[in-house]
Amino acid sequence: MRLGSIFLFVALCSFTAYYIYEPIPEEIEERWKLMLTNSFFRSLSHLADLSELLGLKDYMGVMYFITLAEKVVPVSDEHVKVTEEKFDGVEVVLYQPKQRSGTELRRAIIYLHGGGWCLGSSRMSPYDLLARKMVTELDSVVLSVEYRLAPAHHFPVPYEDVYRVVKHFLQKGVLAQYSVDPGRIAVSGDSAGGNLAAAVSQQLQKEPGQQVKLKAQALIYPVLQALDLNTPSYQQNQDMPILPRTLMVRFWSEYFTSDKALFRAMMANTHNNPESSSLLKFVNWSAFLPETYHKKYNYSAPAVVQGVGGEAVGMDGPSRSFADPRASPLLVPDTALHSLPKAYILTCEYDVLRDDGIMYVTRLRAAGVEVTHEHYDTGFHGGLMFTVWPTDFLIARRMTDNYVKWLKENL
């Protein structure tokens, strides 16, 4: 009996070690903490797959537990006044300093949370803490947008929610109500939020009657294109923790449709059709990635097929959506870039989205836009979110501090 118990204990320990351990690059700090953190994500992902297979609940519905687990009720404290409001019908959380610094108008940051357009909330603890940090250290107003999520609301609904909020906030009367300087406003976001921030920045400059302009855009490991899901960073980091390639592809497909045909085609990188193929030149990583990021990979243009993965999809459906610059901001021509506001772009070496951000840096600079590119050689996707115990990473603190410092110096 005792021998059997010892065997069971050893077997359990071996299974646990096997499940937790992952071949994470040695350069990454706090590797075991990342392994432990990711074991939770993987467990939840496996549970979500099983739930969907059994017809109990869809994959994203189960994964939404991550959002619920981190949710807080944003409340005012001694330094920050917090209110929950609606701007043009969209829920927002507004953070303001409690003390006025004379009559001087304040900066404002419109912040868009990440989560692959399917998960996340402005009311999650890490975003709440980040907003408070920006308010207290920058003496700024922070507007955090609670846009609707896929798969319940496919593209372009999340984008349109964000755009309506930005347009509403940039009215001079609204800015005056919150003591905001019209010349010191930035839009910012991480991951899918970075995608929305970039798309909003592009669309806003097209508005002929727009009086108040954005001064800056700050994009944290943004996702910027859906045409080539086989860039060097997608290949190098396909099994990296937090955001493996399979999950990012699933986020993309769910953003557009619940039809699994698109997911299968995107996984094979065979989702481009003749319409989108004409835009592949804007995401040609062999042209826009510095040589150091090519590594062992050789460029091969994504296949172009009729329909999606051999299954007919109307041109008014998903196949048109992923060629829309509002979904893939990298797809705009160079002429649409030169008048964009100055940019801060953060990328991480161990992130499938690394090359999206770096290609945008290259294209923006070529168009004459002032760009600050901060690349973390030991960084991984989602770092900005890991600032709360027990998943508080040292690199997350550095990312956050440097990001806020840039805003202070440039806004």
Side-chain angles (χ1 to χ4, degrees):
M1 184 67 142
R2 186 176 179 183
L3 186 62
S5 298
I6 293 173
F7 176 78
L8 183 62
F9 176 75
V10 171
L12 184 62
C13 289
S14 300
F15 175 78
T16 302
Y18 174 79
Y19 192 77
I20 291 175
Y21 179 79
E22 293 180 80
I24 294 175
E26 293 285 345
E27 296 82 2
I28 293 180
E29 302 173 62
E30 302 177 290
R31 292 169 65 243
W32 280 101
K33 185 183 285 188
L34 182 57
M35 288 182 200
L36 287 166
T37 301
N38 195 55
S39 67
F40 165 75
F41 283 92
R42 281 195 296 145
S43 300
L44 189 62
S45 180
H46 293 160
L47 181 62
D49 280 327
L50 179 62
S51 173
E52 188 166 83
L53 182 65
L54 297 176
L56 301 176
K57 196 172 185 64
D58 66 90
Y59 180 89
M60 290 301 172
V62 176
M63 292 299 288
Y64 194 73
F65 174 78
I66 297 169
T67 303
L68 295 176
E70 291 270 24
K71 268 202 172 182
V72 296
V73 177
V75 294
S76 301
D77 59 34
E78 60 178 316
H79 301 295
V80 182
K81 176 185 176 183
V82 184
T83 55
E84 298 182 72
E85 304 181 26
K86 281 195 175 183
F87 281 7
D88 198 10
V90 180
E91 292 182 19
V92 299
V93 182
L94 196 68
Y95 297 81
Q96 304 173 71
K98 274 194 171 178
Q99 302 297 324
R100 285 296 303 271
S101 52
T103 58
E104 186 177 347
L105 298 178
R106 299 188 175 103
R107 306 174 176 91
I109 298 102
I110 304 166
Y111 197 87
L112 313 173
H113 69 79
W117 310 281
C118 300
L119 311 175
S121 168
S122 58
R123 298 182 177 96
M124 291 175 71
S125 179
Y127 293 121
D128 180 67
L129 291 174
L130 177 60
R132 293 174 193 276
K133 180 181 178 71
M134 290 192 285
V135 169
T136 55
E137 295 188 14
L138 304 178
D139 188 36
S140 65
V141 171
V142 176
L143 177 64
S144 199
V145 185
E146 191 73 355
Y147 56 88
R148 287 173 290 177
L149 301 175
H153 304 282
H154 296 300
F155 173 83
V157 173
Y159 164 82
E160 289 175 340
D161 280 358
V162 168
Y163 196 64
R164 289 209 312 275
V165 168
V166 173
K167 287 281 291 178
H168 177 88
F169 186 62
L170 293 186
Q171 296 176 89
K172 289 185 176 180
V174 176
L175 295 177
Q177 181 183 345
Y178 299 108
S179 302
V180 171
D181 185 339
R184 303 175 74 194
I185 304 169
V187 64
S188 182
D190 61 299
S191 195
N195 166 284
L196 295 168
V200 163
S201 296
Q202 291 179 1
Q203 191 65 27
L204 205 61
Q205 68 168 345
K206 298 177 184 178
E207 294 279 357
Q210 184 63 42
Q211 294 182 321
V212 178
K213 308 287 186 181
L214 294 172
K215 185 176 182 180
Q217 54 179 322
L219 317 178
I220 314 298
Y221 34 77
V223 49
L224 297 169
Q225 59 88 26
L227 297 195
D228 188 356
L229 304 180
N230 216 24
T231 62
S233 60
Y234 267 104
Q235 295 182 65
Q236 171 186 296
N237 302 305
Q238 62 180 330
D239 297 316
M240 273 298 294
I242 311 303
L243 188 68
R245 181 178 184 271
T246 303
L247 181 56
M248 188 60 241
V249 172
R250 193 188 288 262
F251 280 143
W252 265 126
S253 65
E254 293 279 6
Y255 189 31
F256 299 131
T257 178
S258 295
D259 185 346
K260 301 305 180 188
L262 180 60
F263 172 69
R264 293 191 292 270
M266 284 184 142
M267 281 298 295
N269 213 34
T270 57
H271 56 290
N272 284 283
N273 54 43
E275 182 187 19
S276 65
S277 68
S278 65
L279 301 171
L280 286 171
K281 61 187 176 183
F282 295 126
V283 296
N284 182 343
W285 60 261
S286 67
F288 298 124
L289 271 188
E291 195 73 34
T292 184
Y293 297 106
H294 290 201
K295 303 197 174 176
K296 63 181 181 181
Y297 306 103
N298 296 312
Y299 181 73
S300 177
V304 178
V305 297
Q306 292 286 349
V308 174
E311 301 176 52
V313 175
M315 290 303 288
D316 290 325
S319 56
R320 172 161 290 177
S321 296
F322 59 70
D324 190 325
R326 296 175 302 166
S328 297
L330 258 176
L331 303 186
V332 297
D334 294 343
T335 53
L337 297 175
H338 66 85
S339 60
L340 288 174
K342 69 170 74 174
Y344 171 88
I345 299 178
L346 185 157
T347 57
C348 296
E349 179 62 26
Y350 300 108
D351 179 6
V352 293
L353 303 178
R354 179 198 69 192
D355 296 345
D356 283 22
I358 295 174
M359 285 193 285
Y360 203 38
V361 168
T362 300
R363 293 196 57 206
L364 286 173
R365 284 176 173 165
V369 177
E370 180 186 336
V371 181
T372 299
H373 177 209
E374 193 147 33
H375 182 71
Y376 287 82
D377 291 328
T378 62
F380 52 89
H381 190 84
L384 206 69
M385 287 291 290
F386 298 115
T387 56
V388 182
W389 188 89
T391 58
D392 51 331
F393 286 80
L394 294 174
I395 195 167
R397 296 178 194 173
R398 292 201 299 274
M399 285 182 184
T400 304
D401 289 344
N402 291 337
Y403 161 63
V404 174
K405 180 182 177 184
W406 185 88
L407 289 171
K408 189 171 187 176
E409 293 174 350
N410 291 272
L411 191 58

